[in-house]
Amino acid sequence: LHGTLDNFKHVFGTVPPEQPSREFYRAVVEDLNLDEIWRVRPLLDGKAIIKELDLPKGPLVGVYLDDQTRWMLLNPTGTKEDCV
């Protein structure tokens, strides 16, 4: 997180990293295109992951769902095919 904060020093100036300002959060959300990110639907649900990767049902599917979320945040224009 501190590495990320360093990238936005110009936004929050002298505000200590332990207490970033509302403006800082808004700038980060805007800069990283994360506004309303919670509305983005996963490219693949658990059933599709099981089918695509030929996995058994179980907790491993959740690991892949988490990985997919990270991948989608890093690749906002990525497609379902790219993700698989």
Side-chain angles (χ1 to χ4, degrees):
L1 180 59
H2 285 290
T4 302
L5 292 176
D6 289 341
N7 295 335
F8 294 96
K9 282 184 180 177
H10 65 282
V11 174
F12 64 95
T14 61
V15 177
E18 298 79 30
Q19 297 178 332
S21 67
R22 177 176 283 163
E23 291 77 26
F24 167 72
Y25 284 115
R26 286 184 181 161
V28 170
V29 166
E30 189 175 296
D31 193 60
L32 298 177
N33 197 26
L34 297 175
D35 192 31
E36 297 194 21
I37 193 70
W38 61 87
R39 294 179 188 254
V40 175
R41 304 293 302 160
L43 297 171
L44 301 164
D45 63 12
K47 290 181 182 181
I49 288 175
I50 288 170
K51 183 179 177 184
E52 288 289 329
L53 301 178
D54 194 29
L55 295 173
K57 292 180 182 178
L60 184 59
V61 177
V63 172
Y64 280 99
L65 287 168
D66 289 345
D67 287 347
Q68 173 187 221
T69 301
R70 282 187 210 86
W71 184 87
M72 289 175 65
L73 288 169
L74 294 171
N75 301 281
T77 60
T79 66
K80 185 179 188 178
E81 291 74 24
D82 295 335
C83 185
V84 175

